[in-house]
Amino acid sequence: MTRRTLLIGAGAGVLGVLLASCTPEPAPSPTPDRSPTPKPTSDAITPAAFARSSWSTDPFSLGAASFTPVGTQAAARDALAEPIDDRLFLSGEATDSEAPGTMAAALRSGERAAEQLLRAADAGERVAVIGAGLAGATAASRLVAEGLQVTVFEARDRIGGRIHSIVDDKAWPFPAQLGGWLFGASDNALLDSLNSLDIRTAPIAGSLWRSSEGDVGAVSAEPVQAAITTAQQGLTDTSLEDALIAAGADPTEPGLAALLASIAASSGADADDTSTWFPPILPADEYSAALGDLTPVIEGLLEGAKLSLSSPVGRVAYDEAGVSLGIASGESLSFDRVLITVPLGVLKSEGLQFAPALPFGHRGAIDDLGMGRIETVWLRFDDPLTAAAPPAEGETEGETAAAEPAIWHVVGGDVSIRTWINLAPATGENVVVGLVGGDAAADFAELDDQKALEAAIASLAPFLTAPA
């Protein structure tokens, strides 16, 4: 399998946390350096390394992944995916109605948009792809394979979009993943492909629910699924929160609130915003985590295309003769056709101008769909966070560590981050990853690094000592 064909046709179950491509803006911006410099000001435990995402405030994304708000039809995504005058073609996870907000959706959308463009194009045409994320790279690979002259414009100073691996051997024993990195059981084909590139993965399994008082019973997602199933029989769409209330549940109950926070951490939206007709994917108890640099995946797909980094596109003008792109550098470049993978958050902010304006159907879809917010924080400690459980009879210490729950949920209390991934059982390294979504993610993104670190440590408090 070549790198170019690595992800083509991968399974549809990838659990994405972030997936799109670049966002055009008036001027390029370097990738933020989230180095482990801040330290808690209290007596709290201090991490040896710290990294965080900033998708909510990043001008090239303005959010993490799209979601379907209550009252919005899935047809909005199909409308957004429609070609415009056979000159403009749109892709990205927001254009996929099967599993929006996932890496699989980005892959499918790139393939779909490339096929649409190829049906309209003549041999040897000059094509621009806006965005070097997963969708853009997938599309570029297909277009190059068919002999078109492809130029990929990326606003950031790196490729990958919202797949972002931080490689720093001094700070991290494996790359810190600030974008998509968790894969579900249905993604075996993709995981096999990662293995073919020697990209390390590790199993993540088992849940631990804990409050400041100690361990609590696991919170089942079955009542949530039952509330969704019942709500889907109604004549009008309702929010997940309203569906739970109608089913007699209290969304503010600490255990259920922790579960809903976990759902928001994967979907980007809170329960009062999400549709039950087109609900978010509920969290699983088992994942595979990417522990290697994911950049080679994108590099392989971009082989054969001309790549222009730090090149935000601010304006797209099109007519029957072709397309003109306005680049932040002041250049105006002409192409026969353009494939756009701009994230929904930027389209909603009008960060990319079109002349003439997009058709009403596209503008209506952009207005109707929601852009979710998800943030990730990585912490590495020199010492284990909690005392290890003693081995059971006939069990070795290594077997005990591997059996420790890797998905932590914080129940109750006033904390910022309620969902954590403990990588110690799978890797032997004292690394934990916090995931926060919805309004809580927006609030977390506004914190400076010092405040964000303090909030993360405070959220981990129930796990910093052995349970009572």
Side-chain angles (χ1 to χ4, degrees), residues 200-424:
R200 181 186 173 195
T201 61
I204 303 297
S207 296
L208 177 61
W209 301 76
R210 184 175 291 179
S211 73
S212 59
E213 304 298 321
D215 292 351
V216 300
V219 179
S220 172
E222 290 183 6
V224 176
Q225 185 59 65
I228 290 173
T229 301
T230 299
Q232 288 179 340
Q233 307 306 310
L235 294 178
T236 59
D237 191 11
T238 61
S239 71
L240 176 55
E241 180 178 81
D242 287 343
L244 288 168
I245 293 173
D250 179 5
T252 65
E253 186 275 323
L256 181 54
L259 176 60
L260 294 177
S262 180
I263 295 172
S266 62
S267 69
D270 293 312
D272 60 345
D273 291 324
T274 54
S275 164
T276 50
W277 281 5
F278 308 102
I281 298 173
L282 300 184
D285 285 333
E286 295 185 5
Y287 299 100
S288 290
L291 298 179
D293 183 6
L294 296 177
T295 306
V297 174
I298 306 299
E299 289 176 340
L301 291 170
L302 290 172
E303 287 179 2
K306 179 180 178 181
L307 176 63
S308 182
L309 295 175
S310 298
S311 300
V313 177
R315 186 171 184 272
V316 177
Y318 61 100
D319 58 23
E320 67 277 2
V323 186
S324 176
L325 300 184
I327 314 299
S329 62
E331 296 178 278
S332 182
L333 304 176
S334 297
F335 295 89
D336 294 299
R337 304 175 205 282
V338 173
L339 195 152
I340 301 167
T341 69
V342 173
L344 177 66
V346 179
L347 293 175
K348 293 177 77 69
S349 72
E350 300 184 0
L352 181 60
Q353 299 293 318
F354 293 90
L358 293 177
F360 287 124
H362 291 76
R363 281 182 276 166
I366 292 169
D367 185 57
D368 287 343
L369 294 170
M371 189 61 172
R373 292 159 295 190
I374 303 168
E375 300 299 346
T376 304
V377 58
W378 281 60
L379 302 173
R380 179 180 66 80
F381 297 91
D382 288 330
D383 300 312
L385 288 182
T386 60
E393 184 176 352
E395 188 177 46
T396 67
E397 290 186 5
E399 290 171 336
T400 300
E404 293 178 12
I407 305 172
W408 293 352
H409 301 275
V410 181
V411 179
D414 184 15
V415 299
S416 299
I417 306 172
R418 297 191 178 278
T419 304
W420 291 87
I421 305 295
N422 176 25
L423 293 175

Side-chain angles (χ1 to χ4, degrees), residues 20-32:
S21 48
C22 81
T23 297
E25 281 287 316
S29 170
T31 300

Side-chain angles (χ1 to χ4, degrees), residues 43 117 128 183 223 317 374 410 432 461:
D43 295 332
L117 190 151
F183 305 91
I374 303 168
V410 181
V432 292

